[in-house]
């Protein structure tokens, strides 16, 4: 089994990690840690030890297995030099936190800089501005406001507690966590503390600011927040109640005071843009992978795990306690061996990693167009696709909430808002587990098109009606991905579908798990693996036109895609790409855009049709009629979107070309 991952800024992360490792080694040699520990014989007395253990066990640190050997390190981090030099112990016996603070300062800046680079598409000046959250006064405010308990644990002598003392101790503590637990744990802690602060700088994420703006625009009256703190002192929960014109609008809770207000702003009033947590990796440079050949649990787990590790590990994409929507390709639920849906082994592997990371996970999708989005259909689809068993085995939840909400997206190129199924709106993060398949209309379906499943079932045909050109449809899908910004993409290309997908094709082994943060980058590599030109795929072309990706610059890490390519992968019968020559492209453009005569026509295979009516419901132009348990198609109305072909599980819709179409197809090769 092979796996390929796509990643941004791996080199810079690697280089920075190496640099930190060098600093760490130098500090060790210099006596910060290790053999110099005997200089610090006294500090962690029983009470002090208990105090530090309690502090570090609480969120956001979550370090519950503190060893005796590591205790002096943390004790030192919270010891100011005034205590070391003038305390009750001889100065030579107590080491202060200045060297740890030096290290922690760089670790903190590195983690936040890496996060800013990876999660936001910002110019250097703006990234630098946001990095200012680590400056002393701001840092001290954050420590105090979040009730981290550091201020009361700092040992000092004869000095008032200043911002500088608090900030230095905090940085030293981060340095200690880095030395004791490594960079990944330090990153988790830092992002848990700072993520909201950084996001607050983002006007799109500034929920309170947007709510204020909305209330002012609509002249709704006075906007007021009422805050209340609950929970233990070292783990406070802030509840915010917001009123507009004296009328209660709603409540929200968060770990920080600011977050409580944001929670309300995000989930309640929903001003301009839906408030979906955005964490898009901006670049297009991909990265590596690991291997896959069948769907054995160990094999798939190892490939998925390796793939995600190669791009930074799960901690880079989600934080513990976040609510994650795991979004597979459910379509209408088919047996896994038919390769229509994401294989349950891959869904389970990602679910286990998320659960292991401390996330709450819900599996959710809206079945294919033409399927009524209700609990009965969901239950049936989950069972057939094998996800019911996944939920039982991994303790994740299957979504049965069939509600949906309007999510505004004013920045959209072709869509300013979407109807989105509720679990996606409610989630903190979306992780996509897509299936690699051919597609009669969009040529290929993988990462970017997967998100079309966030549109509730019977609303999907409207999009097919509105975006009848596949490239226009691709622009809409890019808007949808940019709006909802899934954080992580994992693609099941172990057994892909070739031929007339996404429903009626044939399984074909590719043997790869792909992972990455950018849907267009992951799709680009899939296209290359199966011998398609990436720029012929509507979503990739649209992303490239917007400057979101340069397919030629997509970089992979892990196994070499050239070794994994399947050049004879069977394309859909509607596919006309792959050839060379400008004349051919011109003819293609004309025929594809204007040529109903060229495009294959759908026709009903009479004896196979059971009259279920799904094709009638899905057809965006009402070209299908089912009478006496048999479907018929009015070709004069048909726009060749092939939704009926996609939805028919009986393989009762066949596609064929007329004489002119056949001649053109032969001409075009
Ligand atoms: S063609 Fe397929 S989807 Fe349409 S009614 Fe017949 S069996 Fe159902
Ligand atoms: S009949 Fe034509 S327009 Fe209607 S769903 Fe089928 S391909 Fe699309």
């Amino acid at each position: 089994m092979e796996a390929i991952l796509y990643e941004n800024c791996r080199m810079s992360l690697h280089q920075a990690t190496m640099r930190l490792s060098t600093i760490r080694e130098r500090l060790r040699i210099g006596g910060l840690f290790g053999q110099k520990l005997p200089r610090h014989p006294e500090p962690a007395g029983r009470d002090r030890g208990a105090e530090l253990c309690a502090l570090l066990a609480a969120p956001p640190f979550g370090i519950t297995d503190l060893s005796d050997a590591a205790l002096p390190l943390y004790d030192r981090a919270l010891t100011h030099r005034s205590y070391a030099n003038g305390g009750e112990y001889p100065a030579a016996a107590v080491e202060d936190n200045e060297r740890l603070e030096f290290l922690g300062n760089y670790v903190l800046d590195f983690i936040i800089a890496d996060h800013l680079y990876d999660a936001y598409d910002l110019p250097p000046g703006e990234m630098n501005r946001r990095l200012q959250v680590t400056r002393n006064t701001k840092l001290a405010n954050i420590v105090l406001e979040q009730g981290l308990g550091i201020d009361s644990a700092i040992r000092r002598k004869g000095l008032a507690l200043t911002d500088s003392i608090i900030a230095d101790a905090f940085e030293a503590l981060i340095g200690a966590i880095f030395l004791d637990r490594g960079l990944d744990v330090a990153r988790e802690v830092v992002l848990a503390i700072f993520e909201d602060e950084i996001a607050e700088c983002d006007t799109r994420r500034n929920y309170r600011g947007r709510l204020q703006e909305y209330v002012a625009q609509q002249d709704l009256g006075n906007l007021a927040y009422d805050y209340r703190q609950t929970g233990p002192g070292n783990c406070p929960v802030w509840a915010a109640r917001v009123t507009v014109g004296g009328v209660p609008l709603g409540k929200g809770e968060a770990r920080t005071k600011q977050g409580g207000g944001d929670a309300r702003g995000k989930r309640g009033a929903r001003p301009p843009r839906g408030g979906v947590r955005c964490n898009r990796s901006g670049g297009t440079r991909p990265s590596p992978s690991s291997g896959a050949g069948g769907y054995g649990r160990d094999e798939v787990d190892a490939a998925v795990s390796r793939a995600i590790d190669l791009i930074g590990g799960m901690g880079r994409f989600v934080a513990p306690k976040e609510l994650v929507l795991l979004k597979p390709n459910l379509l209408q639920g088919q047996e896994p061996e038919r390769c229509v849906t994401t294989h349950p082994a891959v869904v389970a592997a990602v679910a286990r990693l998320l659960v292991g990371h401390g996330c709450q996970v819900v599996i959710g999708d809206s079945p294919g167009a033409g399927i009524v989005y209700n609990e009965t259909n969901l239950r049936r689809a989950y069972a057939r696709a094998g996800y019911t068993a996944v939920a039982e085995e991994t303790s994740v939840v299957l979504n049965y909430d069939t509600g949906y909400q309007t999510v505004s997206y004013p920045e959209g190129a072709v869509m300013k808002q979407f109807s989105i199924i509720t679990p996606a709106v409610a989630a903190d993060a979306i992780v996509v587990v897509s299936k690699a398949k051919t597609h009669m209309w969009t040529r290929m379906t993988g990462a970017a098109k997967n998100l079309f499943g966030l549109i509730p079932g019977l609303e999907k045909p409207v999009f097919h009606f509105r975006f009848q050109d596949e490239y226009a449809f691709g622009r809409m899908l890019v808007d949808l991905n940019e709006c909802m910004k899934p954080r992580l993409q994992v693609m099941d290309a172990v057994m892909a579908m070739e031929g007339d997908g996404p429903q009626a094709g044939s399984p074909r082994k590719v043997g790869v798990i792909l992972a990455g943060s950018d849907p267009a980058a992951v799709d680009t590599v899939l296209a290359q693996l199966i011998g398609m030109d990436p720029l012929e795929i509507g979503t990739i072309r649209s992303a490239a036109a917007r400057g979101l990706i340069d397919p030629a610059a997509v970089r992979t890490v892990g196994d070499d895609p050239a070794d994994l390519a399947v050049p004879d992968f069977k394309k859909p019968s509607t596919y006309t790409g792959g050839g060379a020559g400008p004349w051919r492209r011109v003819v293609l453009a004309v025929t594809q855009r204007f040529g109903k005569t060229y495009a294959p026509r759908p026709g009903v295979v009479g004896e196979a049709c059971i009259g279920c009516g799904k094709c009638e419901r899905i057809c965006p132009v009402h070209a299908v009629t089912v009478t006496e348990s048999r479907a018929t198609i009015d070709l004069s109305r048909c726009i060749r979107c092939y939704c009926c072909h996609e939805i028919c599980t009986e393989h009762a819709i066949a596609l064929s070309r007329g004489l002119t179409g056949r001649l053109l197809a032969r001409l075009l090769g």
Side-chain angles (χ1 to χ4, degrees):
M1 179 177 291
E2 305 296 333
I4 298 180
L5 316 178
Y6 302 90
E7 159 71 322
N8 299 308
C9 71
R10 279 290 79 202
M11 286 306 291
S12 63
L13 177 64
H14 175 70
Q15 287 166 344
T17 306
M18 292 303 292
R19 182 175 292 180
L20 285 170
S21 299
T22 306
I23 293 172
R24 171 179 169 156
E25 282 310 306
R26 285 180 184 162
L27 287 169
R28 278 186 174 182
I29 292 165
L32 175 69
F33 195 39
Q35 69 272 38
K36 293 291 184 182
L37 282 178
R39 284 190 65 204
H40 200 291
E42 57 76 22
R46 187 168 298 166
D47 290 344
R48 178 64 168 166
E51 181 188 22
L52 292 174
C53 285
L55 171 76
L56 291 163
F61 306 106
I63 298 172
T64 54
D65 56 341
L66 204 58
S67 67
D68 287 342
L71 211 47
L73 181 67
Y74 292 102
D75 183 42
R76 195 182 318 154
L78 298 174
T79 299
H80 186 257
R81 68 171 178 276
S82 62
Y83 184 87
N85 294 333
E88 58 212 72
Y89 298 99
V94 181
E95 194 168 327
D96 63 43
N97 62 9
E98 289 187 354
R99 290 163 59 79
L100 272 175
E101 182 245 318
F102 166 80
L103 174 66
N105 176 35
Y106 280 99
V107 172
L108 184 62
D109 276 4
F110 162 67
I111 291 171
I112 294 181
D114 181 52
H115 181 66
L116 281 167
Y117 179 87
D118 195 41
Y120 297 83
D121 187 13
L122 296 170
E126 176 62 12
M127 286 198 280
N128 205 32
R129 191 178 72 76
R130 295 185 189 203
L131 197 57
Q132 302 304 309
V133 293
T134 64
R135 294 301 151 280
N136 273 0
T137 304
K138 184 76 177 165
L139 207 52
N141 284 344
I142 291 169
V143 168
L144 295 173
E145 193 172 82
Q146 297 199 10
L148 300 182
I150 292 172
D151 49 320
S152 56
I154 299 171
R155 297 199 298 181
R156 66 192 192 284
K157 189 83 174 176
L159 288 178
L161 200 58
T162 63
D163 286 349
S164 169
I165 291 175
I166 295 171
D168 289 351
F170 176 77
E171 287 172 340
L173 191 61
I174 296 300
I177 292 170
F178 167 71
L179 289 175
D180 181 34
R181 301 289 159 145
L183 185 58
D184 283 347
V185 174
R187 181 189 286 114
E188 281 179 21
V189 170
V190 168
L191 293 184
I193 294 169
F194 286 92
E195 204 167 27
D196 285 346
E197 295 293 334
I198 298 168
E200 176 70 8
C201 302
D202 186 331
T203 52
R204 289 182 305 169
R205 289 192 186 189
N206 183 358
Y207 303 115
R208 286 187 296 183
R210 288 160 53 199
L211 178 59
Q212 191 169 11
E213 195 179 313
Y214 181 77
V215 168
Q217 275 172 359
Q218 303 295 321
D219 196 20
L220 298 177
N222 186 41
L223 171 67
Y225 288 89
D226 176 26
Y227 290 99
R228 190 167 48 84
Q229 183 187 351
T230 60
N234 63 351
C235 185
V237 174
W238 287 94
R241 191 174 73 111
V242 64
T243 56
V244 175
V247 178
L249 197 60
K251 291 184 279 189
E253 283 189 349
R255 204 166 32 74
T256 65
K257 190 174 180 181
Q258 169 191 304
D262 279 350
R264 182 56 256 152
K266 171 183 171 182
R267 293 208 160 78
R270 189 171 290 290
R273 179 185 164 212
V276 177
R277 292 286 294 271
C278 307
N279 203 1
R280 180 192 172 83
S281 301
T284 59
R285 288 168 294 159
S287 71
S289 83
S290 77
Y295 283 109
R297 172 173 168 168
D298 291 347
E299 202 175 7
V300 171
D301 279 3
V304 168
S305 201
R306 183 185 165 212
I308 294 172
D309 281 348
L310 281 167
I311 54 171
M314 193 58 92
R316 192 184 148 214
F317 302 98
V318 293
K321 298 188 179 166
E322 281 193 313
L323 176 61
V324 177
L325 173 70
L326 192 54
K327 167 68 182 68
N329 185 336
L330 178 64
L331 207 53
Q332 49 195 304
Q334 290 287 343
E335 291 71 21
E337 56 274 15
R338 294 182 67 171
C339 293
V340 172
T341 53
T342 310
H343 198 281
V346 180
V347 177
V350 181
R352 275 191 286 271
L353 287 176
L354 287 166
V355 170
H357 194 66
C359 298
Q360 303 171 58
V361 181
V362 55
I363 296 174
D365 192 8
S366 153
I371 305 288
V372 180
Y373 183 44
N374 61 27
E375 184 174 337
T376 306
N377 286 337
L378 279 176
R379 203 171 288 284
R380 188 182 301 127
Y382 288 144
R384 287 183 78 180
Y387 301 163
T388 309
V390 169
E392 285 167 5
E393 189 243 321
T394 59
S395 303
V396 303
V397 174
L398 294 170
N399 172 61
Y400 290 107
D401 180 344
T402 54
Y404 54 91
Q405 299 176 33
T406 300
V407 175
S408 298
Y409 184 52
E411 304 95 329
V414 294
M415 289 295 295
K416 302 299 181 190
Q417 64 177 42
F418 289 94
S419 290
I420 299 291
I421 58 174
T422 298
V425 179
D428 294 310
I430 298 173
V431 171
V432 169
V433 267
S434 56
K435 184 76 177 176
K437 295 189 289 182
T438 49
H439 196 287
M440 292 290 286
W441 187 47
T442 59
R443 300 162 198 227
M444 181 192 99
T445 172
K449 188 170 181 300
N450 179 284
L451 235 54
F452 196 46
L454 298 187
I455 309 291
L458 291 180
E459 288 208 15
K460 291 188 177 89
V462 177
F463 287 84
H464 286 286
F465 180 68
R466 180 169 167 193
F467 301 102
Q468 296 183 13
D469 174 280
E470 75 237 51
Y471 295 115
F473 195 75
R475 285 195 287 279
M476 180 277 294
L477 286 174
V478 172
D479 271 353
L480 180 58
N481 276 266
E482 287 293 296
C483 173
M484 301 306 292
K485 293 195 182 289
R487 291 192 196 169
L488 171 63
Q489 301 282 341
V490 178
M491 183 184 287
D492 168 14
V494 181
M495 290 298 294
M497 176 177 281
E498 66 175 3
D500 287 346
Q503 178 82 247
S506 312
R508 175 73 186 268
K509 181 178 176 180
V510 178
V512 175
I513 294 288
L514 304 178
S517 54
D518 187 314
V522 174
D523 280 343
T524 292
V525 179
L526 172 64
Q528 290 165 341
L529 283 175
I530 62 175
M532 291 187 186
D533 178 352
L535 285 174
E536 289 182 340
I537 310 302
T539 49
I540 300 174
R541 182 191 282 196
S542 175
R546 294 189 205 185
L548 298 172
I549 186 177
D550 174 3
V554 166
R555 182 174 64 88
T556 63
V557 293
D559 300 309
D560 187 349
D563 297 335
L564 306 167
V566 186
D568 61 341
F569 198 84
K570 195 173 167 195
K571 314 297 182 293
S573 54
T574 48
Y575 181 74
T576 52
W583 69 271
R584 185 177 179 283
R585 288 186 179 274
V586 171
V587 175
L588 264 179
V590 172
T591 52
Q592 285 172 346
R593 191 160 186 85
F594 303 107
K596 266 190 179 181
T597 49
Y598 173 74
R601 302 172 302 190
V604 179
V605 182
E607 61 276 14
C609 177
I610 59 171
C612 67
K614 284 188 284 196
C615 55
E616 187 179 33
R617 286 195 294 276
I618 198 176
C619 180
V621 292
H622 306 293
V624 185
T625 312
V626 178
T627 48
E628 298 178 354
S629 299
R630 192 62 53 90
T632 53
I633 296 174
D634 178 352
L635 288 175
S636 66
R637 303 181 74 166
C638 171
I639 58 171
R640 313 297 198 261
C641 70
Y642 309 122
C643 289
C644 53
H645 177 267
E646 175 178 339
I647 204 70
C648 180
T649 51
E650 307 306 313
H651 296 189
I653 303 279
L655 300 172
S656 60
R657 284 195 171 93
L659 180 61
T660 315
R662 288 203 299 275
L663 286 172
L664 269 171
R666 181 166 296 186
L667 182 66
L668 293 169

